[in-house]
Amino acid sequence: MNAEALLEQLYDTPEQDIIQQIHTLRRELGEQVLILGHHYQREEVFQFADVTGDSLKLSQRAAETDAPYIIFCGVHFMAETADILTDDDQAVILPDLAAGCSMADMADDEQVQRCWQELGTVIDPDQSVIPVTYINSTAALKSFTGEHGGIVCTSGNAARVMTWSWQQREKILFFPDQHLGENTAVAMGIADDAMIIWDPNLPLGGNTPETIRAARLILWKGFCSVHQLFKPEHAETMRRNHPGIEILAHPECARAVCEVSDFVGSTEMIIRHVSEAAPGQTFAIATELNLVNRLREQFPDKPIWFLSPMVCMCSTMYRTDPQQLYAALIAIRDGDMSHQIKVPAAQQHWSRVALQRMLDLA
Ligand code: 13P
Ligand code: SF4
């Protein structure tokens, strides 16, 4: 039976049966399989993860494991990262091949190459600019970054990575997320006039040669469609309605949101912050809904609100369901590698170099 026909059959099976069958097959496959689960995964899938975490922790675990099969319950760039960091005889499986990331799609290889060339009409980028790519990017961009002396960062280590990067060269080209770069730089005390935005649709990114020469940080105009839905006025309303509330935000939120928040950090850091707080502390959290709902369940003694009045869910993270996870386990059992994520050989070396530079900093 092909993968589509199998999935169709699984969708006709009661979900409780699927859950039972996942438990059974998971036990049967034992240590052959490691399941990695990002915090934004829905609960029915998240419960099966051997390791849960933010992008940094999951990439570290991928680099460490000897398991021959890694199922990545997350999105495409995460599975690519795991493939880059694992050995050739290990296979990384993405249960839903359409689980992408709209932010990662906001910078492609061609656009970044063009940016580098355009910068070259004003300055010598290989001497004065270090590329820093957020892990939410394609393997092609990680490879570009590694080849030009650059490094990968995550939301959990951006300040450390940027500090290191400015020790290497005068300017950082940060992509694809403007907000993570900007929020991190603001927290590090970088002045506004040292930052410029690079719009890939405009000549020189919409800048002049003078502003490019003066810049220390060039921020790619990309964003996360989920985190851009949080607004500073949501924080004001929360504070008015719940005196004493702490506002926690993911650094993919806009600067205006992070500036009015009490704490800004990666998903793992937000979880740690809530778990370490005293009982009775109230929170409003600006990150993806599945994580906020899970925290609510886990900490009933710490009232938690979702910062936005709108539902902000990552639709691609949500794509992975128990049926697809079960189908991935069946495929491993049967030797069907149709959901394997394999980074092209030409991108393997330099993307690994860029990732390894980041892992070495930890
Ligand atoms: P972290 O879990 O690394 O904070 O990242 C959030 C995210 O958007 C993943 O795509
Ligand atoms: Fe991409 Fe945003 Fe979804 Fe993260 S939450 S995977 S950045 S779209």
Side-chain angles (χ1 to χ4, degrees), residues 40 75 77 101-103 136 224-227 252 314 316-317:
Y40 294 164
V75 290
F77 74 80
C101 164
S102 54
M103 178 206 284
N136 299 30
C224 165
S225 44
V226 179
H227 288 90
E252 288 174 13
C314 178
T316 49
M317 284 280 185

Side-chain angles (χ1 to χ4, degrees), residues 178 182 195-199 205-207 217-221:
Q178 173 192 331
E182 184 173 353
M195 301 184 221
I196 55 172
I197 312 278
W198 188 277
D199 181 340
N207 302 286
L217 179 58
I218 304 166
L219 295 161
W220 194 267
K221 198 178 177 186

Side-chain angles (χ1 to χ4, degrees), residues 171 193-196 206-216 218:
K171 302 175 197 293
D193 59 6
M195 301 184 221
I196 55 172
N207 302 286
T208 63
E210 292 70 34
T211 55
I212 290 173
R213 277 190 208 100
R216 292 191 62 210
I218 304 166

